[in-house]
Amino acid sequence: MPATKPLVIVTRKLPDAIETRMRELFDTQLNLEDRPMDQAELIDALQRADVLVPTVTDRIDAKVLVRAGARLKLIANFGTGVDNIDVKTALERGITVTNTPGVLTEDTADMTMALMLAVPRRLVEGVKCLEAEEFHGWSPNWMLGHRIWGKRLGILGMGRIGQAVARRAKAFGLQIHYHNRKPVHPDIERELEATYWDSLDQMLTRMDIVSVNCPHTPATYHLLSARRLKLMKPSAYLVNTARGEVIDENALARQIEAGQLAGAGLDVFEHEPAVNPRLLRLKNVVLLPHMGSATLEGRIDMGEKVIINIKTFVDGHKPPDRVIPAML
Ligand code: 8YV
């Protein structure tokens, strides 16, 4: 790192308080118009910066990374998921990568719970019905949804967010089941009264709601494939606040259209920001524009993490949130 303040290039507009602090600490180039950078702009930034602060909307792949300048030593991602970055190539080129784990756990878990309620209880349909002035009075069979209390929830990925979802869901009377690379600590399993499934296939056949809470890695791409989606009960719901790529979105749309799955709540999409038009046409889905962690508090906490990661790195220490290959 240079003796003068390092050049930190931030690709998107961040909360004011974060940008102000960054400008105090570093030679910071901001993106006040918040216009996403195209590939050429990204390469230009990588060639000039000591530190790049990208977000999920920046694709930092090998093609871009091979063009990085010799000065670039740190990519401090504003976000927890790092599937937008080719971390392996970055590390091979001596570039450290950090992320912002932990600070968006509760917000994302809240949104997961919101979708878990919204789909079976038909919240969006209800709102639309009022907006269309189609509510002509209560009746016993009007807008019947399905109870979640007492049902089985299968959590795919029992990391921080999966556990936070489990805590909430337990309070809503759901039975907690999960599939993970390995079982969580027995104390956590006891607290959540959670059942571990080594076999994802077996878990899927028995769940009433499945929640995707694992990162997108080569190992989880289309983990919920057409074959696996077909294992789910026709009365089951699927919720995804993690990454769209974990689900074969076309297969999911097909299955809901065919009545082989009761519905889905999706905050993320396979080809974001594009949303599969078939999903948009379905009534029993609730679709959100990647809002899982979208709270002002969360964004400020994320920004503070980014600052801590940059500052410790610039001061010659190991930043706390280094992404290591074992995590991928
Ligand atoms: C972030 C997310 O807002 O952190 C993540 O992995 O998915 C989001 O909630 C986004 O990634 C910011 O870059």
Side-chain angles (χ1 to χ4, degrees):
M1 282 287 140
T4 52
K5 283 183 178 180
L7 175 61
V8 176
I9 301 186
V10 185
T11 67
R12 300 297 299 268
K13 171 95 184 81
L14 302 185
D16 285 350
I18 298 301
E19 292 189 338
T20 307
R21 188 66 187 134
M22 279 185 155
R23 295 205 59 176
E24 286 165 356
L25 291 169
F26 320 116
D27 175 12
T28 309
Q29 183 188 305
L30 301 171
N31 177 359
L32 296 178
E33 289 85 49
D34 198 30
R35 194 177 49 78
M37 288 184 178
D38 61 25
Q39 203 193 44
E41 288 167 320
L42 216 45
I43 290 172
D44 175 64
L46 283 162
Q47 283 174 346
R48 291 187 298 111
D50 297 299
V51 178
L52 184 81
V53 180
T55 75
V56 69
T57 57
D58 304 299
R59 182 136 217 91
I60 321 278
D61 55 18
K63 266 196 245 128
V64 167
L65 280 167
V66 293
R67 308 279 303 277
R71 301 173 57 157
L72 185 75
K73 288 285 173 267
L74 174 66
I75 297 177
N77 196 45
F78 182 87
T80 302
V82 286
D83 52 336
N84 55 317
I85 303 168
D86 183 338
V87 177
K88 194 169 160 282
T89 305
L91 298 180
E92 278 164 11
R93 296 181 65 85
I95 302 165
T96 300
V97 178
T98 59
N99 65 345
T100 60
V103 290
L104 31 85
T105 305
E106 306 303 333
D107 295 326
T108 309
D110 284 344
M111 196 59 104
T112 310
M113 205 60 227
L115 286 171
M116 239 184 260
L117 288 164
V119 186
R121 298 303 303 273
R122 306 173 65 179
L123 294 196
V124 175
E125 271 183 81
V127 170
K128 283 188 181 155
C129 158
L130 279 183
E131 283 169 357
E133 298 181 16
E134 280 167 6
F135 179 42
H136 307 299
W138 182 91
S139 93
N141 290 310
W142 172 244
M143 287 300 272
L144 298 187
H146 287 281
R147 178 184 294 164
I148 68 163
W149 178 270
K151 299 281 168 68
R152 293 200 172 96
L153 169 67
I155 298 176
L156 177 45
M158 199 62 147
R160 287 189 190 84
I161 297 175
Q163 290 175 31
V165 169
R167 276 187 195 100
R168 284 158 177 75
K170 189 169 175 261
F172 278 79
L174 285 147
Q175 311 292 325
I176 309 302
H177 297 251
Y178 72 102
H179 171 79
N180 203 39
R181 280 192 286 196
K182 51 183 183 357
V184 294
H185 193 280
D187 289 350
I188 298 173
E189 235 177 42
R190 248 192 311 277
E191 176 210 335
L192 299 170
E193 295 173 63
T195 305
Y196 175 65
W197 292 84
D198 187 34
S199 159
L200 173 59
D201 287 10
Q202 286 183 15
M203 182 177 89
L204 290 174
T205 61
R206 291 159 170 88
M207 296 300 118
D208 301 302
I209 304 176
V210 171
S211 173
V212 179
N213 297 106
C214 61
H216 165 219
T217 66
T220 64
Y221 175 77
H222 278 197
L223 193 58
L224 293 184
S225 58
R227 179 190 69 78
R228 285 213 173 96
L229 288 170
K230 284 206 184 102
L231 298 175
M232 291 176 68
K233 300 198 275 189
S235 56
Y237 299 95
L238 180 61
V239 170
N240 187 5
T241 53
R243 282 293 183 271
E245 290 90 337
V246 179
I247 303 176
D248 179 340
E249 205 169 82
N250 260 318
L252 173 67
R254 262 200 315 274
Q255 238 180 275
I256 300 175
E257 279 165 359
Q260 290 159 353
L261 202 63
L266 308 173
D267 182 48
V268 287
F269 303 94
E270 201 178 332
H271 305 288
E272 242 173 85
V275 179
N276 190 322
R278 292 168 68 181
L279 287 173
L280 283 167
R281 282 196 292 269
L282 290 167
K283 219 168 62 164
N284 40 350
V285 301
V286 174
L287 307 176
L288 295 174
H290 200 144
M291 291 162 60
S293 70
T295 65
L296 178 60
E297 295 85 345
R299 293 285 185 261
I300 290 173
D301 291 349
M302 287 162 75
E304 279 169 0
K305 273 212 159 247
V306 168
I307 291 173
I308 291 167
N309 281 318
I310 301 175
K311 186 80 177 92
T312 43
F313 185 81
V314 166
D315 290 346
H317 307 292
K318 283 188 173 160
D321 303 310
R322 284 181 329 279
V323 179
I324 50 169
M327 292 157 74
L328 304 173

